[in-house]
Amino acid sequence: MELSQPAKKPIKRRKTNRIRAWVQLFFFVLIALISINHTLAEDGKGIAFLSSASLHALCPFGGVVSLYQFITTGTLVQKVHQSSLILMIIGIVLAIFAGPVFCGWVCPLGTFQEWIAKIGKKIFKKRYNHFVPAKVDNVLRYFRYGVLIWVVFMTAKSMTLIFANVDPYFALFNFWSSEVAIGGLIVLGLTIIASLFVERPWCKYACPYGAFQGIFNLFRVSSLRRNVDTCIDCKACDKACPMNIEVSSKTIVRDHQCISCMECTSSAHCPVPRTVDFVIGGKK
Amino acid sequence: MRITPRWMAVSVVFVLFGGILLSIALGEWTTKSTKEPLKFTEGEFAGEYNPADIRGSYTFGDVSRLFEIPLEDLAVAFRVSEPDVAAVSLKTLEEKFVDLGVDLGTSSVRLFVALYKGLPFELSGEDIFLLPEASELLKQKASLSPEQLVYLDSHTVNEATELATPAIQVVTQSSEVTPESTPALTLTGGAGTPGGGSGTPDPEHTPEANKVGGKTTFQHLLDWGVKQEDIEKLIGQPLPSANLLIKDWATSQGLSFSTVKDQLQALVDEL
């Protein structure tokens, strides 16, 4: 018997990354409550201890689209507030450290799509998240960079928050309000339907903030590493990845679509300890 | 060093809320507008606030402070009757004047401020209307060019009290501020327009009266005995398709349904 044999044996198998699920739930509830409180506050019925900020003030992407105007004129795009700039900076700090953790752990729209995905998984089983042909999927994944460039350019040109007209995140937490644009509701509806077939379709193909955060995957401080010596090639990491990244074929994952959710790691779906891990530094 | 999900969760929450708390401590965390419009960057007015960047979230107090316009003038120009004029938000104007049938809101304040202060203002294809009080005030206090006067005259909401013929006129509009192409949209009479007061009986209090509402078509009016020529006289054009909803017709003409409805109701009540 070879000495390395015991390490190749699956030792444990956790279904999900429960801590992430709780963190996601926390941020989803927090944003929902703030949004409801914003509506109540406009009628003078707001809850005192809870923020009544507009969702535009709590979206880091507002900071990204305002950058050009902020640098050139010192002002922010209409409806965007200084808090958006602060959140943008915090998002960048987190992304430099560990990639798009904001997408994988905080973004309530991402969380919402994952909840819809649970229904899709029950309906389609193993076919779920594999409907789009790989060739088409590979091309479509760059579309979000086009969206990012278009939104940043058009916002700089018009000095208005044009993305609000199609923003599904704003629509999700304001569908009861007259502030929401019909375009946002349509995009939200399409995202919900698509989430029944594909996991996180908005994040994969269209989210401009996801595109912005994704760039940090190329040079983040921490890295997602697979230990080829202990890997049993079960492909559990591939199946667990909501973004369909083929972790099992890489030693270091620096895919621009990684959302740092850690579902592929040995702390979650990988059955072998210390085989797929987030690490800081050169070696484990 | 290996990062576990627990470490990641703690890091995310710590960095996010730590960053927010730090920015609050530094006085940088604001979730409301800075209430400071863009400034002109070049030309004669460089360094002055640009009225085109006045936003709906501003109050009349903000406008008064930023552009040094007396609050009393703003209150008159926009019929602000609240005791605390300074606290009234501009975004409330649109709803307040919805019955006028024209967009009268934040853009009207922008135009008023620009003309009042003699600042450049680009109309960029939109027609902006003002109340008669605002126009009068501008004529008294601002130095307006002939071109601006023409624009002002054609963009003042006309609220005459008597019924004219035709009562509702819609003329093709243009954003160019030239005498040849001045836009005109005049609403006259009608109990639904502020200051109208035509004295027509309220159908709510006339049980046997047929009531003009959102589902009423022109055919209904004819069925109730209203003469076709009277309808045509009122709407200022030949009768559209008899089965057309009056509400849809008003919308297609850019008119306030409530105004049209009140005037047609007056015809019904006269039967």
Side-chain angles (χ1 to χ4, degrees), chain A residues 222-241:
Chain A
S222 61
S223 57
L224 183 60
R225 287 170 184 259
R226 185 179 65 96
N227 186 342
V228 288
D229 294 333
T230 54
C231 177
I232 58 171
D233 207 26
C234 66
K235 301 195 187 300
C237 49
D238 297 350
K239 289 172 198 159
C241 180

Side-chain angles (χ1 to χ4, degrees), chain A residues 4-230:
Chain A
S4 60
Q5 194 65 25
K8 296 257 181 185
K9 208 172 174 182
I11 292 168
K12 63 180 178 59
R13 191 178 194 89
R14 284 184 204 169
K15 283 282 178 190
T16 53
N17 180 352
R18 287 191 185 278
I19 295 171
R20 187 174 78 97
W22 280 109
V23 172
Q24 285 181 296
L25 179 66
F26 168 74
F27 281 110
F28 187 93
V29 172
L30 180 68
I31 293 295
L33 287 175
I34 290 173
S35 195
I36 292 166
N37 200 36
H38 176 69
T39 306
L40 292 173
E42 289 200 327
D43 295 331
K45 297 170 189 163
I47 303 163
F49 61 86
L50 189 64
S51 169
S52 61
S54 143
L55 268 202
H56 294 304
L58 301 176
C59 179
F61 189 55
V64 178
V65 296
S66 277
L67 264 185
Y68 175 80
Q69 185 172 321
F70 186 72
I71 291 165
T72 54
T73 68
T75 60
L76 297 168
V77 172
Q78 287 183 10
K79 296 183 181 175
V80 172
H81 310 292
Q82 202 156 303
S83 53
S84 298
L85 276 179
I86 308 276
L87 289 173
M88 179 197 71
I89 293 166
I90 293 170
I92 290 173
V93 169
L94 283 169
I96 290 171
F97 168 65
V101 280
F102 190 91
C103 304
W105 291 71
V106 180
C107 179
L109 182 61
T111 304
F112 183 68
Q113 289 173 89
E114 286 188 14
W115 291 343
I116 304 280
K118 287 182 196 296
I119 302 169
K121 282 172 186 170
K122 285 207 168 149
I123 298 170
F124 299 111
K125 313 277 187 219
K126 288 183 178 176
R127 284 173 63 209
Y128 182 77
N129 212 14
H130 291 93
F131 286 100
V132 185
K135 279 187 180 175
V136 179
D137 181 69
N138 286 339
V139 175
L140 282 179
R141 282 172 188 251
Y142 288 94
F143 179 71
R144 62 180 190 165
Y145 294 97
V147 176
L148 173 64
I149 293 165
W150 176 75
V151 172
V152 170
F153 175 74
M154 291 305 291
T155 308
K157 197 177 165 194
S158 66
M159 292 184 166
T160 55
L161 195 61
I162 52 149
F163 188 63
N165 295 327
V166 291
D167 186 358
Y169 165 68
F170 188 78
L172 176 63
F173 291 101
N174 283 276
F175 63 86
W176 58 82
S177 136
S178 60
E179 283 184 59
V180 68
I182 187 76
L185 288 171
I186 291 169
V187 174
L188 176 63
L190 291 173
T191 302
I192 291 170
I193 294 166
S195 294
L196 290 169
F197 302 92
V198 180
E199 193 149 15
R200 287 182 170 249
W202 172 257
C203 315
K204 273 180 190 151
Y205 305 126
C207 181
Y209 188 62
F212 175 75
Q213 285 266 310
I215 295 166
F216 291 90
N217 275 323
L218 307 177
F219 51 83
R220 64 187 181 194
V221 173
S222 61
S223 57
L224 183 60
R225 287 170 184 259
R226 185 179 65 96
N227 186 342
V228 288
D229 294 333
T230 54

Side-chain angles (χ1 to χ4, degrees), chain A residues 75 82-83 262 278-280, chain B residues 1 3 28 30 38 55:
Chain A
T75 60
Q82 202 156 303
S83 53
M262 302 182 79
F278 247 95
V279 291
I280 297 176
Chain B
M1 189 180 91
I3 304 169
E28 298 294 327
T30 52
L38 292 171
R55 303 173 190 192

Side-chain angles (χ1 to χ4, degrees), chain B residues 239-270:
Chain B
L239 192 71
S241 169
N243 290 323
L244 183 67
L245 286 174
I246 295 164
K247 187 177 184 181
D248 289 347
W249 174 84
T251 307
S252 70
Q253 302 293 311
L255 297 168
S256 158
F257 172 61
S258 63
T259 307
V260 176
K261 182 187 79 172
D262 288 340
Q263 295 183 17
L264 289 172
Q265 187 64 57
L267 283 182
V268 174
D269 293 340
E270 281 169 9

